[in-house]
Amino acid sequence: CMPPPPPPPHRDHPPPPPPSPPPQGDAKEDGQGLWAAYNNKLETNPILTKALTSMIGFTLGDILAQNFVEKKGEYDIMRTIRLASFGFLIHGTTGHWFYGKLDKAIPGTGAMQVFSKVGIDQVLWNPIFGVMFFSYMGFTNGDGPAAVAAKVKRDLMTQVTG
């Protein structure tokens, strides 16, 4: 059965508005609002946004590693703080600089551009990043220059080559 037609409009009143379309889901509820806000922050404040993103990534990664991979017993909160601060102070900021320069030097997303960028990243940036990482983690752990240099010499090639 069809509903009866609406009554004719009165001369004193305008016709009722058309019915509203059914709700499609709020962008903030389905995550698109958060993603849009993040992308907006990447445009308006890229260095802070990347520093915070890196800090969160290093923090979550270490929490997961300590609790589910290493399972050494006592949780090392200071290690998580050192890694989080490395992400915020070093990784997010230097990554912004390096990859920005790389994208300007080799624009595009074609196969050759991507291959070139990955090659440069692995051959040039990966060793530099490794030295920064081992140095920062060593110095913030209280290690002296000789211990940090020994760590870099001992572990950098493994870190770079896998």
Side-chain angles (χ1 to χ4, degrees):
C1 266
M2 297 287 292
H10 292 83
R11 291 186 182 149
D12 299 355
H13 303 294
S20 299
Q24 298 294 317
D26 183 47
K28 291 184 180 179
E29 289 178 17
D30 64 17
Q32 291 177 3
L34 185 59
W35 184 248
Y38 176 75
N39 281 307
N40 181 52
K41 290 295 181 189
L42 282 174
E43 292 295 322
T44 60
N45 202 344
I47 295 174
L48 179 61
T49 303
K50 291 174 185 178
L52 289 169
T53 301
S54 183
M55 180 186 76
I56 291 167
F58 272 87
T59 301
L60 293 176
D62 191 54
I63 290 168
L64 292 171
Q66 287 194 54
N67 286 301
F68 301 108
V69 178
E70 297 167 3
K71 301 179 187 177
K72 292 182 180 177
E74 189 173 332
Y75 182 81
D76 184 355
I77 186 66
M78 290 310 297
R79 184 178 102 171
T80 302
I81 291 169
R82 285 191 303 274
L83 284 162
S85 66
F86 175 81
F88 183 79
L89 297 171
I90 308 295
H91 181 259
T93 55
T94 61
H96 169 79
W97 174 82
F98 175 77
Y99 294 110
K101 296 285 185 193
L102 188 59
D103 283 340
K104 284 181 183 163
I106 307 172
T109 57
M112 281 308 296
Q113 291 94 338
V114 170
F115 181 79
S116 298
K117 290 176 190 182
V118 170
I120 291 168
D121 174 64
Q122 292 303 299
V123 172
L124 179 65
W125 187 246
N126 191 352
I128 293 169
F129 174 82
V131 170
M132 290 189 304
F133 179 79
F134 291 135
S135 298
Y136 184 90
M137 294 305 289
F139 288 131
T140 58
N141 193 41
D143 300 340
V148 169
K151 172 77 171 169
V152 169
K153 186 175 181 180
R154 183 180 65 244
D155 294 346
L156 183 61
M157 190 56 91
T158 302
Q159 181 262 322
V160 168
T161 62

